[in-house]
């Protein structure tokens, strides 16, 4: 029998994979992929909690998270393409302009 | 029984796919693995009885978002392997895992301690999941829904404005530097 704990543990594993990706990646495109993983892990947790408590709010929040993710991709990818046109690379270290 | 088998299959497949996304050196492999992982995640939504959300997940993520990424990747050089130099590996991994565990404990502790009652019950006799989603979305969550619509419109306009070519000529004055060969 699958309980809520199973889903929460799965969500935690997926979230930590995404977090490792965010901290490990230096390429900006790969960083966007990792943020997608984070958002999806949270979605799984929301829907599981909503299902096991018989509540629809979890699905609603997952729905809005998907909308936020879609708009984030549109704006972020546009900015990334502009940055690539300007500097010719998508490396995170090229953003480091101030020698601090 | 089928639920258990499906849960473990989907979870193993999702973890493998997302592991490929995080650890692969090739950007194309990472993108394909991400699309696969999104579809497996929608399997969880179907298992949990959220059919509408599962369909939305497939349509939005593996349809729209992946198409956007594929379009974006045409601008970049994707055949070459991604080069990354990483410092402080051990600190990085241990920090991220510890913070993830902390977040999970923080989020799940109130759920297990308090008695939560559902505000909008998901199971009513003779009403399917999609009808219930519609009922709750257009009564209790109407203002967030409209705000999300406006937000998507704004992001669409900004995406067009940022990438389109004619706008790029007079977008900023940095293009002026680029013509002279002074890239900042």
């Amino acid at each position: 029998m699958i309980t809520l704990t199973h889903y929460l543990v799965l969500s935690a594993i997926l979230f930590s994979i995404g977090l490792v990706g965010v901290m490990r990646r230096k390429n900006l495109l790969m960083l966007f992929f990792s943020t997608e993983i984070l958002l999806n892990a949270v979605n799984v947790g929301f829907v599981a909690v909503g299902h096991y408590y018989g509540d629809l709010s979890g699905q609603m929040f997952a729905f809005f998270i998907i909308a936020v993710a879609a708009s984030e991709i549109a704006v972020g990818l546009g900015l990334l393409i502009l940055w690539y046109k300007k500097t010719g690379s998508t490396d995170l270290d090229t953003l480091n302009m101030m020698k601090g | 029984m089928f639920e258990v088998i499906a849960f473990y299959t989907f979870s193993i497949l999702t973890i493998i796919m997302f592991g490929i996304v995080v650890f692969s050196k090739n950007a194309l492999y990472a993108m394909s693995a991400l699309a696969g992982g999104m579809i497996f995640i929608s399997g969880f939504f179907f298992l949990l009885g959220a059919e509408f959300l599962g369909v939305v997940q497939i349509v939005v993520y593996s349809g729209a978002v992946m198409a956007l990424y594929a379009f974006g990747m045409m601008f970049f050089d994707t055949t070459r392997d991604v080069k990354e130099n990483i410092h402080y590996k051990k600190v990085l991994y241990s920090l991220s895992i510890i913070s993830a565990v902390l977040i999970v404990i923080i989020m799940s502790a109130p759920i297990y301690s308090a008695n939560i009652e559902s505000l909008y019950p998901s199971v009513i006799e003779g009403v399917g999941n999609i009808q219930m989603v519609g009922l709750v979305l257009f009564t209790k969550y109407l203002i967030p829904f409209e705000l999300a619509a406006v937000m998507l419109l704004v992001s669409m306009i900004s995406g067009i404005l940022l990438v389109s070519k004619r706008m790029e000529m007079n977008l900023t004055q940095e293009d002026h530097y680029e013509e002279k060969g002074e890239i900042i």
Side-chain angles (χ1 to χ4, degrees):
Chain A
M1 192 58 201
I2 302 294
T3 57
L4 179 57
T5 316
H6 286 79
Y7 278 102
L8 286 181
V9 167
L10 173 77
S11 174
I13 292 171
L14 292 183
F15 195 86
S16 50
I17 288 175
L19 216 54
V20 167
V22 166
M23 297 196 188
R24 183 179 173 276
R25 287 295 194 187
K26 284 294 178 67
N27 191 314
L28 273 169
L29 197 66
M30 301 299 197
L31 217 64
F32 275 121
F33 289 169
S34 301
T35 52
E36 295 300 309
I37 295 174
L38 290 181
L39 291 172
N40 270 284
V42 174
N43 269 354
V44 170
F46 267 132
V47 176
V49 170
H51 176 256
Y52 281 99
Y53 283 97
D55 194 324
L56 266 182
S57 301
Q59 291 183 33
M60 293 297 109
F61 273 93
F63 186 70
F64 291 123
I65 286 176
I66 288 178
V68 167
S71 57
E72 174 237 330
I73 297 308
V75 177
L77 214 59
L79 288 174
L80 187 58
I81 287 169
L82 267 191
W83 184 255
Y84 186 75
K85 275 179 184 168
K86 211 172 117 185
T87 61
S89 92
T90 54
D91 199 8
L92 200 58
D93 290 336
T94 57
L95 286 167
N96 189 9
M97 283 183 287
M98 301 170 82
K99 310 291 181 203
Chain B
M1 187 60 200
F2 277 123
E3 198 195 350
V4 177
I5 296 170
F7 175 79
Y8 282 111
T9 316
F10 278 131
S11 51
I12 289 166
L13 281 172
T14 313
I15 290 169
I16 290 171
M17 284 295 170
F18 284 168
I20 292 172
V21 174
V22 171
F23 293 108
S24 167
K25 280 207 168 92
N26 194 327
L28 272 178
Y29 287 168
M31 198 193 72
S32 321
L34 188 65
M38 296 301 175
I39 291 178
F40 292 135
I41 288 245
S42 81
F44 289 117
F45 293 160
F46 286 118
L47 268 183
L48 288 167
E51 292 102 5
F52 181 70
L53 202 64
V55 173
V56 164
Q57 172 92 5
I58 292 179
V59 169
V60 171
Y61 268 116
S62 26
V65 169
M66 284 305 138
L68 256 180
Y69 274 133
F71 270 118
M73 278 176 136
M74 289 178 195
F75 287 90
F76 310 131
D77 187 12
T78 51
T79 51
R80 187 179 38 145
D81 278 358
V82 177
K83 263 190 211 161
E84 289 160 322
N85 48 345
I86 304 153
H87 324 289
Y88 314 122
K89 262 191 180 176
K90 277 181 190 170
V91 178
L92 193 153
Y93 284 117
S94 51
L95 261 184
S96 51
I97 288 170
I98 287 169
S99 50
V101 169
L102 268 181
I103 287 170
V104 170
I105 290 170
I106 290 167
M107 296 300 281
S108 60
I111 292 174
Y112 279 106
S113 61
N115 295 317
I116 297 176
E117 289 184 7
S118 62
L119 282 174
Y120 311 115
S122 62
V123 185
I124 292 178
E125 295 285 323
V127 180
N129 172 254
I130 299 171
Q131 283 164 304
M132 275 311 293
V133 166
L135 278 176
V136 176
L137 192 62
F138 286 106
T139 51
K140 302 290 178 190
Y141 289 94
L142 186 60
I143 292 174
F145 181 74
E146 298 290 341
L147 284 178
V150 172
M151 183 187 66
L152 283 172
L153 178 71
V154 169
S155 71
M156 185 187 79
I157 292 170
S158 72
I160 294 170
L161 198 138
L162 284 174
V163 184
S164 84
K165 262 181 196 162
R166 225 194 314 160
M167 293 290 189
E168 185 216 338
M169 281 185 225
N170 53 4
L171 188 63
T172 49
Q173 68 179 87
E174 272 104 21
D175 295 326
H176 178 63
Y177 290 114
E178 211 165 359
E179 283 165 14
K180 288 196 282 182
E182 294 174 26
I183 298 171
I184 306 170

